[in-house]
Amino acid sequence: MAFPSSELILNPDGSIYHLRLLPEDLADTVILVGDPDRVALVSRHFDTIDVRKQHREFVTHTGTIGRKRMSVVSSGIGSDNVEIVMTELDALRHIDLQQRVPRTEKRPLNLIRIGTSGSLQEDIPVDSVVASRRAVGLDGLLDFYATDESRWQPDLAASLKTTLGLRLQPYVAEASPVLFESFHDVVSSVPGFTLTCPGFYAPQGRHLRLAPKIDGVIGKLQAFRHEGWRLTNFEMETAAYYLFGALLGHEMLSLNAIVANRATGEFSTRPEQTIEKLIRDTLCWASDL
Ligand code: R1P
Ligand code: URA
């Protein structure tokens, strides 16, 4: 049965609703960034650019590096945006938009997030790079998708839920092992266990005028251990990317430039250079995928 126009929403030119992309606009390898302005910082390293599209915070450039076709897409901030980006990128690959029916052929994407993040541990300094092997999601998205709960590391999630005294149910999702090993072999990075938070201030233990509800949240996160793993960093998208990468069958890796260190109270004095280096290293590696 065809998806009705209220479920699979297309624009008058046939493009997918939020991203405003047609299937041919997208390369097999996609760099994902949060900040729409970061799209041009990535695509300026392309040799050619043949697609430039924008709708709201979703900016896309597609072009080539040598003979490799690549896209870069911005998501804006937060897991709710990731849900839209991943669902619509997947639709461009796995739904026949004209007939409005699923395709049978599997067409997985290589998806690589280049983001910024705060370190939780003193020994993971500002300006380093964390390649997230696993991520814990505090965003609640898992409650809305039909899936086998046992797949999302319920023991680890339950342990963190107890440590923080949360009412919401965390979930744990993993990077593509292939992309993680390949990147980690080539580029100097810290293997990460990333916490994805539904906010930047109290959910990350920041106290401006509103106090966080969880007492000593940073200390609790720093001390948290599970089977020898500790939490390395936090940000606002990685777990959702890993959840949807796994559910939809795409290869997904999240790379985070550390711009703040919450153990030492530092913020990077040169975040632009750190992000630029991560962009260059990532493109050099990804153009060989
Ligand atoms: C907060 O400032 C934003 O920065 C981080 C967080 O995940 C959040 O989106 O990532 P980006 O640099 O990719 O936006
Ligand atoms: N992004 C975050 O979400 N948190 C930080 O501390 C820095 C960047």
Side-chain angles (χ1 to χ4, degrees):
M1 206 184 71
F3 296 112
S5 56
S6 60
E7 316 298 302
L8 173 65
I9 306 170
L10 302 178
N11 300 305
D13 66 354
S15 63
I16 194 87
Y17 187 47
H18 296 93
L19 301 186
R20 291 252 166 113
L21 296 177
L22 297 164
E24 58 268 30
D25 293 333
L26 194 67
D28 295 349
T29 295
V30 182
I31 306 292
L32 296 157
V33 297
D35 183 352
D37 288 343
R38 204 174 294 151
V39 170
L41 299 183
V42 174
S43 70
R44 71 182 174 184
H45 298 287
F46 291 2
D47 298 318
T48 63
I49 301 176
D50 57 281
V51 175
R52 289 176 203 265
K53 294 200 171 172
Q54 169 160 20
H55 178 230
R56 296 176 178 247
E57 59 267 65
F58 309 111
V59 178
T60 300
H61 291 178
T62 296
T64 55
I65 298 183
R67 296 174 61 187
K68 173 87 175 170
R69 192 158 187 258
M70 294 183 94
S71 296
V72 51
V73 178
S74 62
S75 67
I77 287 181
S79 299
D80 48 352
N81 281 17
V82 170
E83 192 244 12
I84 289 172
V85 168
M86 289 296 277
T87 303
E88 294 193 4
L89 289 178
D90 179 74
L92 292 169
R93 303 290 282 191
H94 290 134
I95 296 178
D96 179 332
L97 299 186
Q98 283 168 358
Q99 302 301 320
R100 296 180 162 276
V101 292
R103 293 184 188 278
T104 45
E105 184 200 355
K106 296 285 173 238
R107 299 178 66 213
L109 294 161
N110 287 319
L111 300 167
I112 303 137
R113 160 174 156 83
I114 299 181
T116 59
S117 179
S119 167
L120 275 160
Q121 306 292 347
E122 193 167 355
D123 63 319
I124 303 176
V126 292
D127 305 316
S128 61
V129 169
V130 169
S132 307
R133 192 196 287 262
R134 279 177 174 175
V136 187
L138 301 182
D139 50 53
L141 275 170
L142 188 61
D143 283 357
F144 295 91
Y145 283 88
T147 170
D148 172 8
E149 297 277 326
S150 66
R151 190 171 165 191
W152 312 103
Q153 305 183 32
D155 290 353
L156 197 171
S159 169
L160 189 66
K161 179 174 168 141
T162 305
T163 299
L164 298 180
L166 297 171
R167 270 179 295 191
L168 61 84
Q169 184 57 49
Y171 63 88
V172 184
E174 307 223 347
S176 150
V178 176
L179 291 187
F180 176 83
E181 299 299 340
S182 161
F183 181 83
H184 195 63
D185 284 352
V186 171
V187 180
S188 166
S189 57
V190 179
F193 189 145
T194 296
L195 186 67
T196 296
C197 301
F200 186 80
Y201 290 98
Q204 296 186 24
R206 289 187 170 93
H207 183 172
L208 299 186
R209 293 190 61 235
L210 295 178
K213 179 172 177 176
I214 306 167
D215 250 1
V217 61
I218 297 290
K220 286 178 180 163
L221 294 173
Q222 282 167 341
F224 180 76
R225 295 289 181 275
H226 186 86
E227 294 172 356
W229 280 84
R230 63 180 180 163
L231 291 164
T232 48
N233 63 309
F234 46 23
E235 43 76 272
M236 297 174 60
E237 291 85 14
T238 295
Y241 274 130
Y242 287 178
L243 174 66
F244 285 95
L247 288 173
L248 294 166
H250 300 286
E251 304 294 331
M252 177 74 224
L253 176 65
S254 176
L255 307 171
N256 287 289
I258 299 299
V259 295
N261 185 307
R262 302 299 298 289
T264 63
E266 287 169 278
F267 192 84
S268 171
T269 54
R270 49 182 174 89
E272 293 82 8
Q273 287 100 308
T274 302
I275 293 160
E276 175 60 18
K277 180 168 183 333
L278 179 56
I279 290 171
R280 284 174 182 269
D281 287 348
T282 303
L283 289 178
C284 188
W285 161 74
S287 57
D288 279 339
L289 287 174

